[in-house]
């Protein structure tokens, strides 16, 4: 899953660290659980590893268990990366994106558009007509603009992600 650019993008969004995030998570997925193990394996500084782990924790995609070493009395933190949570975030993102496309498509299909020849502003038919086909912003004249290319593009996009 880490090879997926969408996954990487989300993880870097969370950690703000493009350089180290994927390496650290890859290491966790391979079964390393403590910050020291991860730092050693990846050769990334321990404080950077910790910072990234807590950022992942904060975003809900990593969790840890604390246990006390009976001999040394030190606490050990075993970290776990939650792949399912990442999949959930991606699913939600897609859902939002697909809704936006659906809404844009409805808007484009349900309207006729007019464009200002001077500044390129676009108006719906009703707005253009109310203003006698003169741009309310700059006084330029408005001309009909075919939006079938936009509609086609949106349809293709919708097809692609569904
Ligand atoms: Zn204008």
């Amino acid at each position: 899953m880490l090879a997926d650019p969408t996954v990487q993008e989300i993880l870097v969004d969370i950690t703000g660290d493009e350089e180290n995030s994927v390496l650290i998570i890859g290491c966790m997925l391979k079964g390393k659980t403590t910050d020291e193990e991860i730092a050693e394996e990846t050769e990334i500084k321990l404080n950077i590893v910790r910072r990234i782990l807590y950022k992942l924790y904060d975003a809900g995609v990593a969790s840890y268990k604390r246990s006390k070493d009976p001999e040394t009395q030190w606490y050990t933190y075993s970290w776990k990366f939650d792949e399912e949570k990442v999949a959930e975030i991606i699913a939600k993102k897609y859902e939002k994106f697909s809704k936006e496309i659906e809404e844009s498509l409805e808007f484009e299909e349900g309207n006729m558009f007019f464009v200002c020849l001077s500044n390129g502003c676009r108006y719906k038919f009703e707005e253009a007509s109310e203003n006698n086909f003169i741009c309310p912003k700059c006084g330029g004249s408005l001309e009909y603009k075919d939006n079938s290319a936009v509609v086609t593009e949106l349809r293709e996009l919708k097809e692609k992600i569904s």
Side-chain angles (χ1 to χ4, degrees):
M1 83 174 297
L2 271 183
D4 184 340
T6 314
V7 172
Q8 291 190 11
E9 200 182 298
I10 283 168
L11 294 173
V12 171
D13 257 5
I14 290 172
T15 61
D17 189 326
E18 197 172 350
E19 203 186 329
N20 302 308
S21 301
V22 174
L23 265 179
I24 288 174
I25 294 158
C27 191
M28 291 166 89
L29 291 175
K30 273 191 269 167
K32 302 286 178 202
T33 60
T34 70
D35 47 4
E36 275 111 356
E37 277 178 335
I38 294 167
E40 198 178 312
E41 177 86 7
T42 57
E43 294 179 341
I44 295 167
K45 280 193 194 128
L46 188 58
N47 66 334
I48 294 175
V49 171
R50 283 183 179 150
R51 193 175 64 216
I52 288 176
L53 288 173
Y54 277 104
K55 281 195 171 162
L56 294 170
Y57 174 76
D58 198 38
V61 298
S63 56
Y64 65 79
K65 260 195 227 138
R66 199 172 76 149
S67 51
K68 203 175 192 180
D69 187 308
E71 277 172 36
T72 63
Q73 301 295 304
W74 287 89
Y75 282 110
T76 313
Y77 292 82
S78 312
W79 288 86
K80 197 171 159 282
F81 180 67
D82 193 344
E83 286 181 85
E84 262 173 49
K85 203 73 198 217
V86 176
E88 251 171 57
I89 293 173
I90 291 173
K92 262 194 206 136
K93 235 183 166 175
Y94 268 118
E95 209 177 284
K96 192 171 162 242
F97 185 47
S98 117
K99 210 178 147 205
E100 279 167 6
I101 290 170
E102 189 65 51
E103 282 167 4
S104 302
L105 189 56
E106 252 171 54
F107 181 70
E108 294 294 331
E109 283 179 329
N111 288 291
M112 268 197 298
F113 295 96
F114 290 78
V115 161
C116 171
L117 296 177
S118 308
N119 67 3
C121 282
R122 197 168 79 137
Y123 302 93
K124 291 198 285 185
F125 170 76
E126 294 76 9
E127 293 169 285
S129 171
E130 269 164 30
N131 290 289
N132 294 317
F133 301 95
I134 301 289
C135 175
K137 278 186 193 143
C138 75
S141 48
L142 303 179
E143 266 199 9
Y144 172 75
K145 174 89 169 138
D146 179 27
N147 71 339
S148 54
V150 181
V151 170
T152 307
E153 214 174 288
L154 285 168
R155 280 208 190 117
E156 280 170 7
L157 204 54
K158 189 183 155 188
E159 192 81 5
K160 216 196 260 175
I161 67 161
S162 62

